[in-house]
Each structure stands twice: as C-alpha cells, then as structure tokens.
Amino acid sequence: MKTIINEQDRRNFVSQVETMLHDKLAKCYQCGKCSAGCPVNFEMDYTPNQIIKMTELGMQDPVLNSKTIWLCVSCNTCSTRCPKGFEVAGIMDVLREIATRKGIESKTEKEIQVFHKVFLDNVKSNGRIFELELVGKYRLKTKRLFRDMFLAPKMIEKGKLRMSGDKVSAINSIAKIFRDFE
Amino acid sequence: MKLAYYPGCSLKGTSFEYEVSLLKVLEVLNIEIKEIPDWNCCGASAAHSINHNLSVALPARNLAIAENNGFENVLAPCAACSSRLKTANYELGSDDVLRKKITDSLDMPYNASLGVSNMLEFLLNAVGKENIKSHIKRPLNGIKVASYYGCLLVRPPKIMKFDDPENPVSMDELVSLTGATAVDYPYKTDCCGAINSLSKPDVVMALTGKVLYNIKEHGADLVVVACPLCHSNLDVRQREIERKYSERIGLPVIFITELLGLSFGLSPEELAIDGHMVNADKILQKILAASR
Amino acid sequence: MSRIGVFVCWCGSNIAGTVDVKKLTEEAAKIPGVVEAVDYKYMCSDPGQNSLRNMIREKNLTGVVLAACSPHMHENTFRKAAVKEGLNPYFVEIANIREQVSWVHEDKERATYKAMDLLKMMVEKVKRDRAIEDVRVPLTKRALVIGGGISGMQAALDIASGGVEVILVEKEPSIGGRMIQLDETFPTLDCSSCIMTPKMVEVSQHPNIKLYTYSEVENVSGYIGNFNVKIKKMTKSVVEKDCTGCGDCWNACPMHKNVKSEFNINLSERTAIYVPFPQAVPLVPVIDRAACLHFKKGGKCVKCYEVCGPKCIDFTIQDEIIEEKVGAIVAATGFDLMDNSLYGEYGYGKYKDVISGLQFERLLSASGPTEGVIKRPSDGKTPQTIVFIQCVGSRDPEKGVPYCSKVCCMYTAKHAKLFSHKVHGSQSYVFYIDIRATGKGYEEFIRDTIEKDGVVYLRGRVSKIYQDRDKLIIRGADTLSGNQVEIAADMVVLATGVIPKKGSDKIAQMLGISYDKYGFFTESHPKLRPAESSTAGIYLAGMAQGPRDIPESVVSGSAAASKILGLFSKSEYEVEGTIAGVNKTTCVGCFYCQRVCAYSAISKEEIKDRNGNVIKVVANVNPGLCTGCGACVNACFSKSIDVKGYMDDQIYAEIRSLAI
Ligand SMILES: Cc1cc2nc3c(=O)[nH]c(=O)nc-3n(C[C@H](O)[C@H](O)[C@H](O)COP(=O)(O)OP(=O)(O)OC[C@H]3O[C@@H](n4cnc5c(N)ncnc54)[C@H](O)[C@@H]3O)c2cc1C
Ligand code: SF4
Ligand code: SF4
Ligand code: SF4
Ligand code: SF4
C-alpha cells in the first residue's frame, strides 16, 4: 500500500484521536506486545500495533475501514500488558466511534456493527435488554435468520429465553440520555 | 451497611440461574440487598464500542439513583456490568467536565461516592472468608474445580483494582473454602470472545474452545465463573464447540454462587443448576452422594 | 654438570585426576641430570614455592622444571621464587600438563605418557638455558599527541597535569576538532562551544603543553621511550607571537567570495586570510596561499599587511621542520564523514536542500553561517518539514560500510529535537532501521524526542528523493505498518556515516601501528588493552579507533594519558630479555629479517674499522621494539639470528628428547 503523508491531515486525525483517547500515540514504541497477546489477532487485517502506527501516520482510510477495529473484543489484554501504559483497547473504541460517526460501513464486519446498533436501539426503546427481541432484530438486519437457531428450543426449555422483557418505567429519562449523547 | 444491588439484564434473562443462586446464598448468609429502583441497562460493550458518552451516561444513571437513595455500595454480580459501572465511576470521579455534562443530562447530582463491587470482591471483602466458612455444611472434598476469570473481572487493573491481573486467585480461594480442589491452568484470564458471541461465532468458538480444552487437560471436573458472558460462551456454546472440533468436553460450567450454595447444603434445584445447557448430573451425584 | 629439580603439581584434582602424577615423578627422577623429582598438591601455594626454594638451596640446583599449569598463569610466580634463591629467572621452565594435557585428554595412561614427553623436553631445554638479563630502555619523559580534537586535548591535559611535558600537534589552524563544530550535544544538550572553549584555552595556556597548530607529523622513528619526531609546521604567513587576533586583516581581505569555509562545510565563504571560527585557539589567522591574491598575482595585494597594527603579516615565512624527542605517542586523529554523493538516489550535491548532519549542526549553531536561525541553503527560507534519514552509508555494505557509526541515531534525535524547539509548529520525520541508544540517558532522550517533541519515526530506509517545485519528495517505507510512504519536505538531513580521518592509514604506517580495513587504528587487545596500539609506546584515543561519542572519546583520551603517566612513573622501561640477537660475524646483511619484522625492530648497523671506514652493514635488533616473535629467525638463511631462551640447540634438544 502506498500512502502520501499530508502533514495537516495527519495532525488533524492524530489530534482527534488523542483528544478522545486522553493518551499520546507517540508513547507506543512498537514493541508489538499488544499484538503478541491479542486473542483475535489471527483474524485481524492489521495488528493492533500497526493500527497505532498507521493512526500516527494519519492513514485514516485504511484504519477506519479495517477489520481490526471491529474484531477487537475489548478484552484489555493489550493495555494491561503494554510496557508503555498505552491505551490500546481504548484506541479501538475511539476508532470505532469515529468510524460510526462517519457512517463508515465495514465491508467484512458489518454484523458486529449491526449488533452494537441493534443492542443500543434495544436499550433506547426499553431501557433494558430484551434478549429475544435483540436476537430477532439482529437476525433480521443481518439476514442470518437461522444461525444459532438450533440453540433456541433448548434455551427456551431451560427458561433462558423469556417471552417478554422488562422496561424501565422512567423511559423518558433514557430517551433523554440518548437524545443528549447519541 | 446499605447495599444496593444492580442485577443487569443478563441476570434477568439468559443467566437467571446466577440471580436465583445469588439470592439463595445471600439468604443463607443473612445479607440483605436492595435492587436499585428502576435500573437501566449499563450499555455493555456496545456503548463503549461506538459511543463513549453513552457508555458513561447509562451506568451513571444507575449510580446516581443508588447514591441519591442513600446507598454506599453497589453489588454488580455480572462481570460486564461491574466493569462498566466501575469504569464509569472512575471517569466520573476523575473528569469533572464529563461529570457535569452527564449529571446535567441525567438531571440528578452524582458525587462519585459509591463503591462498586463485583461478585468475588463482595464475597471476599464484604462477606468474609470466616463468615462463608461457618456456613459450609457440605464440603466439596475431592471435586476438582477450575476457576475461569476471563477479562472483565481483572482488566484493566488500573480501574478494576482487584486481584492480580495476570494470576488472579480470589475465585480459587473461594473454591478452596468449599473444600473443593482448585485446579491451576494457564488460560485463567484468556479471553472467551465475549461480546462477539452472536456476531462472530466462529472466532468465539475458537477462543472459548481453547479455554475449555485447556481446562479439561488440567483435569477439572467443573468450571466456575462469575460472569454471565463467560458462562454463556462456555456453557451454551459447548456442544457446538465439541461438534466443531470433534472432541468431547463435557465440562459443567456453574456460577460461583452455585458452588457456594452446594457447599452450604442447598439443593441443585434451589440453585437452578438445571438451568444450564451442559448436564451436571454426574458431578452433582458425586457431591450429593459424598454428603450422605 | 646440570643439577635439575623437577616439581610435578597436582593442581588438586585438575591434573592429578587425569595424569598419574606419582608415576610421572618417578619417571622424571630417572632422566639424566635430574637430581630430585617431587610432586605436590598445589605448587603455586606458599608451601609449594618454599619446597622449590629449599631444593634450589639445598641441592644447589642449576635449573628447575615444573610440570604444572600454563606459564601464563604462574611462570612469574616461580621465576620470582627462584630469583630469591639467587637463580637467574630464565632457568625456570614449565611443562604445561594442565591446559595441554589433563584438561584436554581423558585416557589417563596416554595423558601421563604425553605429560612425560613434555616434561622431558623441558628438562632438555633447561639444561641448555643461559642466563638472560632483562633489557632496560631509557625513557624520554615527554609525550606527543597527534590530533587536537576532544580526545587528543583530553589526553594532553591529563598528561600535562601529571607533570609531564606534552607536544600537541594539530593539522588545522585551531584545535577543537569536530566537537567545536557541533551546536548542542546529546544527551544533555549542553552547548558544545560553552564546554569546549574553556578547555581549548586551558590547553593553549598550560605550561606543560607545547601546541603546534597548522602542523603535521612528518616522520617518527625510534621506539618506546625514545621516539624521534619530525613535525612540519606549515607557514601561517603571520608572526604568531605578535598577532593580537584583532581581525583587521581578515576584514580587509578582498577575497571574501569563492572560497568555501571548511569549518562551515561549504555553507558559507571565508577570506584568504582567515581564522576558521571566531573562538579559534590560537586566535591567529593563517593565509591560505592557494586563495591569496598576493601569492596568485605576484605580490599585488598587501591589504592585510597594511591594516595590521602590529605588522605581524610576513609573506616570506616558510614551512618549518621541527624535531622533537618523546617517549610516548597518542594517536587521536579523529574522523571524517563518508561521501554522500555515493547516494545518487538522495541527490546530495544536486539538491541544495539535501544536507549532511554536520552541516545541520552548523545551521543550528549561533556562531554558524545563519547565526543559529535554521534556513535552507536553496532560498534561505526556514523549513517547516524536515526529513531525517539515518544510516546513510553506515550498515550498507553495498555502497558504504557494514559497521554502525554509533553516534548518528543520537545526533539525529538531537537535530529533530532542536528543530522542533527552534521552529514552532514544524514537523520532523526520521527514517531509521533501528535505534541504537545505549548510553546513559540516551534511550530516555530518544523517547523524549518522540513523545514530547512530536517527532515521527518511521522504520525503514528511504529509496529516493526528488524535487517537485520547492518541495523535496521523499519516498520511503514504514515497515511497521507495512506501507510505502511519501512525504513532501522542505529539507532533508542525512545522518552520514563516519570514517577514519582521511590519511589515517598513512599515519598508521608512519607510526608502525596496525589498522583495520577501514583505516581505524586497532587496539593491542580489543577488550583488555583498548588504549594501547600494537606498538609499544604508542597509544590510541577517540574516533580514530572507531565510532564513538564525546564521553567515550574523553574516556579514551584519559585512558591513554594514564597509560603514559604509568609508563613514565618508572625510571626505565623494562622488557623481557627473550628478544632476538644478531650474530654480527656471520650476518651477511641480506636484511630479509627486516622485511619480515612486523615491529620494525631491525635496523642497519655499519661496522667500521679503526679508521672509520665501513667494512660491512649488518642487522641490528632494537630491544625496545623487538617482541621476540621469532619471525626473523626463520627468515635468516645465514642462521645469524636467535631469540634468547629459544636457541636452536635448545629446540633441537627438545625434539631429540622425544626420540629416546
Ligand atoms: C553531526 C555530528 C553530531 C555529533 N553530535 C554529538 C553529540 O551531540 N554528542 C556526542 O557525544 N557526540 C557527538 N558527535 C560525535 C563527536 O563529534 C565525536 O565523538 C568527537 O568529536 C570525537 O573526537 P575526536 O577527538 O576523537 O575526533 P575529532 O573531533 O575528529 O578530532 C580529531 C582532530 O585531529 C586532527 N587531525 C586529524 N589528522 C591529523 C594529523 N594527521 N595531524 C594532526 N592533526 C590531525 C583533526 O584536525 C581534528 O582536530 C557528533 C558527530 C557528528 C558527525
Ligand atoms: S504493547 Fe504498547 S508499546 Fe508495545 S506496540 Fe503495543 S501499544 Fe505499542
Ligand atoms: S482489547 Fe482488542 S486489541 Fe486489545 S488484546 Fe483485546 S481484542 Fe486485542
Ligand atoms: S594579501 Fe592575501 S590575505 Fe592579505 S588581503 Fe590580500 S588576498 Fe587577503
Ligand atoms: S548509530 Fe544509528 S543511524 Fe548511525 S549507523 Fe548506527 S544504527 Fe545507523
């Protein structure tokens, strides 16, 4: 891949990320320990340390369109072990948030994006998660109608899937939170 | 001690066994808790993944309600919820600008005075080992138990401030109290894939599979967890993992409260152990037989 | 008649475990000439040494053979013990039955057999030993330091402070070397001239230091303690003692264009009569005759002469040869930078704004051509973006050298840091292969540059640089993210690799010291004798030995000084007596020996008759230089050279002993 570094764009992107992250990209010295311990590294297109370097170099497009930011499961193994105390897991959150705000649709990890959206929609309308509704909506949106279907009967039998959900009674207050911050 | 209880969505749904067993165990211990009135979902991973403000505001509402109701401490048995509540609490306590923005939106004051405990913290610090020990009626001698901590109980240490992030022992200590043998194994804190259970099942099965086979290799009869997400990956997906890797696992996965409950002499039914997907009959029979 | 005592050492179980020491002792006693053979657990212990002394005394021994560890270990111990009983130390021989037998063999019987052989050889040798006296060489207690950079200055100051007279020879019109060209120095960022000028003044004012600037060493002969040195003092065309350094002359000189300043590395011009920089020591100008109108145009211009108050300008002064005698020499000739034009792809020389690190130092320096304001050479604009490229020439076996230049990682970080301090809102990029920052505070310095000053580091080399309007486009790689990157910059600074000072090989040949294939002087031992050259009496310091920074250069200067002060602390220099000797009667004067001697120890000696007529020319061995290596012995076909202690008859007897 070829990247032409435009100093102004680079600085803008870096400062956007750093402001949201409350941390400095330059702290990372590229030792790779984060990537060494990342449980989902094997599925990623860029290792976590590459994501950091690319962000520092202002490579906005590849970073925001990467699989990596969506595959990260926020396990915090990276941040816990980083010798420089860099917020590796944090940068994944920040990049996901920027990508979401920009409306970037991941080509490969759309399902993860949809899941987060559907989840928050569920919270928005009920204040709490109603699992059956969450799963159903997610299935509809991802057109994965039958995935995991074989689990359902047994889960219902065991009482794990309830047929109705609880709602927060002061649902207005939840709506307000979403209005203010969404 | 006024103790607030934040159940979170899972304990009212797919992981109802956790709440059932928790309430039973607290009853035996004679500890009173009170559910936070009209609590809401903490936003779990979805919120912090794509909207930082929401990830603080949603837990903040619960914290503020608890504080305004005069509580000093919150018990959040779900590891994910406790992690979100602790993180929000940490940020609200250290960033005045953020706190103002959020309390303005909530229209409620919040002084970040609340303490948040996860299940293990609560049992070890608030209840105490001696207290627990004094209630043990049915020691689980001869049962080999692997404690699985996963990510959210211990990481990131700067916020969780609980146990050793690389080599946690708190759950193992509880296991030892019950008379069971704590099994040591290297994958204690390796990630199960957690949040991507629905959206990336293949990845999750690979990660969870590694953990389960590792536990099996180290000779455990039983796995205990303190997190509904871990539980659903380790328990609900276990059959599928066995099929995918064509190798049997057959490891019952129960909550730490259920293990304590068994040692307190409660019946498996009272503890809703039959609510799990992996059949635990064999090991339960062994436990019950030994106590007879 | 020889009366020889044999001592077999067990060395605990080190020897006794593998060699049958009892049997060896018994057999030794049977060798003709041996009066007594004994064995003992530890011969090097006090009781062991005493038994040796007692036997010498009681049995009136003429020679001693020890079957023990390597002579490297205890030869001295046993020789000293023998001397106490009045025996010449060279009558003590050691058969090494530990390193050469017990430690390397397993079969006890065969090991014992071999030990016996070695022992027999030494008995035969000791029978033929002659008394040898150690050689004492007189010492001229004065030192010469070649090179007035920081390492040479340090050596000179330390020797001089030790009360020894020093002659410091510097090629340039001023001392100071490279360090005085630098702006601030890593890792503490102290200003180079602030710490350097006082030292330079100290050198020039020290009563024990005789300073020759604008001078070169032309010839060195002699040996440790007794070197004869010829110094060529190039004419400055200025009577030094009268010059006040007022500057009237160089201000008056019409030749202020076309001559590039060496000190500012072509970034500015200088006059024909000039001082290299305002703080020069001594502050005396020199006339560059190749540029001077007076010399080029047949005496037409005399402007400087006219304005000079004390009238110290003298166009007639000629080069001068000065002879000095010294006892020790420090070679501290420093370094040069590699030629950047080797890299066509970087366009050094073609694009004005591609400069070297040393040039950047001059741009940073308040006394530099831009008075410390960073301006790029092409149009004088202050650059906003600079790309720094590390390892230019270093670690590049194809175009440059394979070694690491050691200082460029650090000075590049320093440059980027200082640039960010001087030009607010500017940006530096550094291309590197890896960062070598192993000194005290160095890693922290690099991290600080990255984390506090916002310098962006990219791991990878640059492939090509080209001009696009007023920008330089740098095409490089960042291997960490796996990207090819392109950056548009206003200026490029190359961290050029260091090489030994031009002509250092000639200096080495003149001094008779060894140097590596690049021209760096080699140490006598890379770890244990880092300050000594391969030749006795000649010491090394600074970058002339290999890449090093200022602290290391200073340490090495002090090390050389302490070696010299140590040498001079004795009244004479003592050399082992086992050196070559020429039989002047049989020598035919072919001088094959001279050709093979690596230490230049052989000279020609004229044998004269009573009337002073030369009858013949023969080889003569200089005891101060000879190491007793024996190369000459093999080269001499008239068999006129022997190394004392290793005479032919001894060697043959050793060999013959094996046949019995
Ligand atoms: C761009 C750059 C920046 C640097 N920055 C730093 C820094 O910040 N900190 C740091 O610690 N180090 C720095 N260094 C390294 C530092 O310059 C050297 O370590 C130091 O100058 C070595 O001193 P020296 O006396 O051995 O050699 P030199 O400084 O080269 O001195 C040798 C002297 O010998 C003279 N000479 C040579 N041949 C003869 C001869 N035949 N006869 C008489 N005289 C002779 C020369 O004219 C010269 O004056 C830097 C180097 C470079 C290239
Ligand atoms: S572990 Fe930390 S310092 Fe190392 S590469 Fe990852 S973020 Fe950078
Ligand atoms: S938090 Fe994300 S990036 Fe870090 S180790 Fe876990 S999955 Fe990998
Ligand atoms: S004589 Fe030479 S040095 Fe003097 S002023 Fe003329 S050109 Fe300059
Ligand atoms: S010091 Fe650094 S820049 Fe210089 S050659 Fe060595 S590695 Fe390259």
Side-chain angles (χ1 to χ4, degrees), chain A residues 38-93:
Chain A
C38 175
V40 278
N41 190 66
F42 69 100
E43 283 281 302
M44 291 172 165
D45 46 359
Y46 304 109
T47 59
N49 67 289
Q50 279 180 315
I51 290 286
I52 299 163
K53 193 72 200 176
M54 290 162 77
T55 307
E56 193 191 13
L57 296 181
M59 300 179 184
Q60 213 177 130
D61 276 359
V63 163
L64 296 181
N65 285 292
S66 69
K67 292 162 85 166
T68 299
I69 59 173
W70 296 108
L71 286 170
C72 162
V73 290
S74 307
C75 70
N76 261 300
T77 309
C78 47
S79 317
T80 303
R81 294 185 185 149
C82 171
K84 293 285 290 174
F86 181 71
E87 293 286 356
V88 197
I91 198 176
M92 299 295 174
D93 277 349

Side-chain angles (χ1 to χ4, degrees), chain A residues 81 87 97 127 160 169 180, chain B residues 17 38 41 52 105 158 166:
Chain A
R81 294 185 185 149
E87 293 286 356
E97 182 157 355
K160 282 186 174 294
S169 35
D180 289 346
Chain B
E17 312 95 298
D38 205 29
C41 170
H52 179 252
S105 168
K158 113 176 153 201
E166 297 300 349

Side-chain angles (χ1 to χ4, degrees), chain C residues 177-186 190-194 263 335 357-358 361-362 364-367 411 414-415 550:
Chain C
R178 294 291 183 200
M179 185 173 159
I180 196 67
Q181 288 179 288
L182 309 179
D183 179 40
E184 291 174 9
T185 51
F186 63 76
D190 25 21
C191 135
S192 188
S193 40
C194 311
F263 188 77
F335 70 102
L358 203 54
E361 293 280 348
R362 297 312 303 146
L364 287 167
S365 169
S367 65
Y411 77 59
K414 174 183 78 175
H415 290 164
I550 296 167

Side-chain angles (χ1 to χ4, degrees), chain A residues 1-5 7 10-11 26-30 49-50 53-54 56-57 59 84, chain C residues 425-427 429 447 450-451 456-458 475 478 480-488:
Chain A
M1 193 175 32
K2 176 164 166 179
T3 310
I4 296 175
I5 298 181
E7 187 47 36
R10 184 189 79 83
R11 287 191 181 189
K27 251 163 81 176
C28 165
Y29 56 26
Q30 290 291 315
N49 67 289
Q50 279 180 315
K53 193 72 200 176
M54 290 162 77
E56 193 191 13
L57 296 181
M59 300 179 184
K84 293 285 290 174
Chain C
S426 67
Q427 184 63 46
Y429 293 91
R447 290 313 309 165
I450 297 172
E451 293 177 30
V456 173
Y457 271 65
L458 297 108
R475 184 180 295 155
D478 172 54
L480 292 170
S481 62
N483 269 280
Q484 186 185 46
V485 291
E486 248 179 47
I487 300 170

